[in-house]
Amino acid sequence: MAKFLIIFMITFHATFGWAQSEESAKDEKGSHFTGRISRLNSKARLARIRTDFENIKFLNRKDRVEFWNETYPEMRCVGLIEGRTNDYFLVKIPQYETCIKRVHFTTGSFLHFQSDDLEQTVKIAQELVEILLKKRLAMQAKKERYQRELSGHVEKVDAVNKRYEILRQKLEIEWQKELSLLEEDKARSFTEFKNSEARLNEIDTKLEAYRVEDHNLKLDRWSLDPALYIRK
């Protein structure tokens, strides 16, 4: 009897350990979760389950789920998802009476669930997440590049302002220099004008002093008739 008990315990632990390893692998795939029965409807063969499973959002209507009592992990039943909210999901149990006897559940029972359909949906979601992460990484790099350009905009404006301020100062100097040269030209021209005017007056005075008359006799216009003009 003792030998039989030892063999049974070894077999039980081996089976239980294998089941735990299998469930651990499924848990990593996101297909294994837990919940507690909050309400049963025997006539409709429905069970409402409350859960804090974050991936409940990936459960879809008509997804197939297996469920069991953690005390008897090898005794399992099958249900179909009828609907879900953020904290609850509704399971249709086709073999309702059989499952009550096999799984031993009632209102308040804590159950384990596993769904291959959920695993497939989670796998697709993970692939989509990987694609989105790559897109996000590329978009983040693009955003940071434009952010650096925006951050450098002020410096670029300052650099342009400084460059054109230097050019403006140079142009201002050139402008004032050209105006000064024009003023110098004006002063020189005015001086030359006055000198020329003085020399011209001097020449006119000398011309007046040394002018020689062409005719010694002057025309005497004593009559209205030009024929009667005489020189004297």
Side-chain angles (χ1 to χ4, degrees), residues 160-174:
V160 171
N161 287 338
K162 289 179 181 178
R163 181 158 57 91
Y164 278 95
E165 177 63 21
I166 293 173
L167 293 175
R168 189 190 66 78
Q169 292 176 358
K170 289 183 178 180
L171 184 61
E172 181 83 18
I173 293 172
E174 292 286 337

Short mmCIF file of all heavy atoms in Angstrom, two decimals, residues 160-174:
data_model
loop_
_atom_site.label_atom_id
_atom_site.label_comp_id
_atom_site.label_asym_id
_atom_site.label_seq_id
_atom_site.Cartn_x
_atom_site.Cartn_y
_atom_site.Cartn_z
N VAL A 160 21.85 85.18 -38.85
CA VAL A 160 21.51 85.99 -40.03
C VAL A 160 21.45 87.47 -39.67
O VAL A 160 21.97 88.33 -40.40
CB VAL A 160 20.16 85.52 -40.63
CG1 VAL A 160 19.69 86.50 -41.71
CG2 VAL A 160 20.30 84.13 -41.22
N ASN A 161 20.85 87.77 -38.52
CA ASN A 161 20.76 89.16 -38.09
C ASN A 161 22.14 89.76 -37.87
O ASN A 161 22.40 90.92 -38.26
CB ASN A 161 19.94 89.26 -36.79
CG ASN A 161 18.46 89.05 -37.03
OD1 ASN A 161 17.97 89.22 -38.15
ND2 ASN A 161 17.73 88.67 -36.00
N LYS A 162 23.04 89.00 -37.24
CA LYS A 162 24.39 89.49 -36.99
C LYS A 162 25.13 89.71 -38.31
O LYS A 162 25.83 90.72 -38.48
CB LYS A 162 25.16 88.51 -36.12
CG LYS A 162 24.67 88.47 -34.68
CD LYS A 162 25.46 87.45 -33.86
CE LYS A 162 24.95 87.40 -32.42
NZ LYS A 162 25.67 86.38 -31.62
N ARG A 163 24.98 88.75 -39.23
CA ARG A 163 25.66 88.87 -40.52
C ARG A 163 25.18 90.11 -41.28
O ARG A 163 25.98 90.88 -41.80
CB ARG A 163 25.42 87.61 -41.35
CG ARG A 163 26.10 87.61 -42.71
CD ARG A 163 26.28 86.19 -43.21
NE ARG A 163 25.02 85.50 -43.30
CZ ARG A 163 24.24 85.47 -44.39
NH1 ARG A 163 24.61 86.15 -45.47
NH2 ARG A 163 23.12 84.79 -44.41
N TYR A 164 23.88 90.30 -41.31
CA TYR A 164 23.35 91.45 -42.03
C TYR A 164 23.55 92.76 -41.26
O TYR A 164 23.59 93.83 -41.86
CB TYR A 164 21.87 91.24 -42.37
CG TYR A 164 21.70 90.39 -43.60
CD1 TYR A 164 21.50 89.02 -43.50
CD2 TYR A 164 21.75 90.96 -44.87
CE1 TYR A 164 21.36 88.23 -44.63
CE2 TYR A 164 21.61 90.19 -46.00
CZ TYR A 164 21.43 88.82 -45.88
OH TYR A 164 21.30 88.05 -47.01
N GLU A 165 23.71 92.66 -39.94
CA GLU A 165 24.04 93.86 -39.17
C GLU A 165 25.45 94.33 -39.52
O GLU A 165 25.71 95.53 -39.67
CB GLU A 165 23.94 93.55 -37.67
CG GLU A 165 24.34 94.70 -36.75
CD GLU A 165 23.44 95.91 -36.88
OE1 GLU A 165 22.29 95.76 -37.36
OE2 GLU A 165 23.88 97.02 -36.52
N ILE A 166 26.35 93.37 -39.67
CA ILE A 166 27.72 93.72 -40.09
C ILE A 166 27.69 94.33 -41.49
O ILE A 166 28.35 95.34 -41.76
CB ILE A 166 28.62 92.47 -40.05
CG1 ILE A 166 28.80 92.00 -38.60
CG2 ILE A 166 29.97 92.76 -40.68
CD1 ILE A 166 29.52 90.68 -38.48
N LEU A 167 26.92 93.69 -42.38
CA LEU A 167 26.80 94.24 -43.74
C LEU A 167 26.18 95.63 -43.73
O LEU A 167 26.58 96.52 -44.48
CB LEU A 167 25.97 93.29 -44.61
CG LEU A 167 26.60 91.93 -44.92
CD1 LEU A 167 25.61 91.06 -45.69
CD2 LEU A 167 27.88 92.10 -45.73
N ARG A 168 25.17 95.80 -42.84
CA ARG A 168 24.52 97.11 -42.74
C ARG A 168 25.50 98.17 -42.26
O ARG A 168 25.53 99.30 -42.76
CB ARG A 168 23.33 97.03 -41.78
CG ARG A 168 22.45 98.29 -41.78
CD ARG A 168 21.45 98.24 -40.66
NE ARG A 168 22.11 98.31 -39.36
CZ ARG A 168 22.57 99.43 -38.82
NH1 ARG A 168 22.46 100.60 -39.46
NH2 ARG A 168 23.16 99.42 -37.64
N GLN A 169 26.32 97.79 -41.25
CA GLN A 169 27.32 98.73 -40.74
C GLN A 169 28.34 99.09 -41.82
O GLN A 169 28.73 100.26 -41.97
CB GLN A 169 28.01 98.13 -39.52
CG GLN A 169 27.10 97.99 -38.30
CD GLN A 169 27.78 97.31 -37.15
OE1 GLN A 169 28.94 96.89 -37.25
NE2 GLN A 169 27.06 97.18 -36.03
N LYS A 170 28.75 98.07 -42.57
CA LYS A 170 29.69 98.34 -43.67
C LYS A 170 29.05 99.25 -44.71
O LYS A 170 29.69 100.19 -45.21
CB LYS A 170 30.13 97.02 -44.32
CG LYS A 170 31.05 96.18 -43.46
CD LYS A 170 31.48 94.93 -44.22
CE LYS A 170 32.45 94.10 -43.39
NZ LYS A 170 32.88 92.87 -44.11
N LEU A 171 27.79 98.97 -45.04
CA LEU A 171 27.08 99.80 -46.00
C LEU A 171 26.91 101.23 -45.48
O LEU A 171 27.02 102.19 -46.23
CB LEU A 171 25.71 99.17 -46.31
CG LEU A 171 24.87 99.87 -47.37
CD1 LEU A 171 25.59 99.88 -48.72
CD2 LEU A 171 23.51 99.18 -47.51
N GLU A 172 26.64 101.35 -44.19
CA GLU A 172 26.50 102.67 -43.57
C GLU A 172 27.81 103.46 -43.69
O GLU A 172 27.81 104.66 -44.02
CB GLU A 172 26.13 102.48 -42.09
CG GLU A 172 25.91 103.78 -41.33
CD GLU A 172 24.52 104.33 -41.50
OE1 GLU A 172 23.62 103.58 -41.92
OE2 GLU A 172 24.35 105.53 -41.23
N ILE A 173 28.92 102.75 -43.44
CA ILE A 173 30.23 103.40 -43.55
C ILE A 173 30.49 103.83 -45.00
O ILE A 173 30.96 104.95 -45.27
CB ILE A 173 31.33 102.45 -43.05
CG1 ILE A 173 31.17 102.21 -41.54
CG2 ILE A 173 32.71 103.00 -43.36
CD1 ILE A 173 32.08 101.14 -40.98
N GLU A 174 30.19 102.92 -45.94
CA GLU A 174 30.37 103.24 -47.35
C GLU A 174 29.49 104.42 -47.76
O GLU A 174 29.91 105.32 -48.50
CB GLU A 174 30.02 102.01 -48.21
CG GLU A 174 30.98 100.85 -48.07
CD GLU A 174 32.30 101.12 -48.77
OE1 GLU A 174 32.31 101.96 -49.70
OE2 GLU A 174 33.31 100.50 -48.40
#
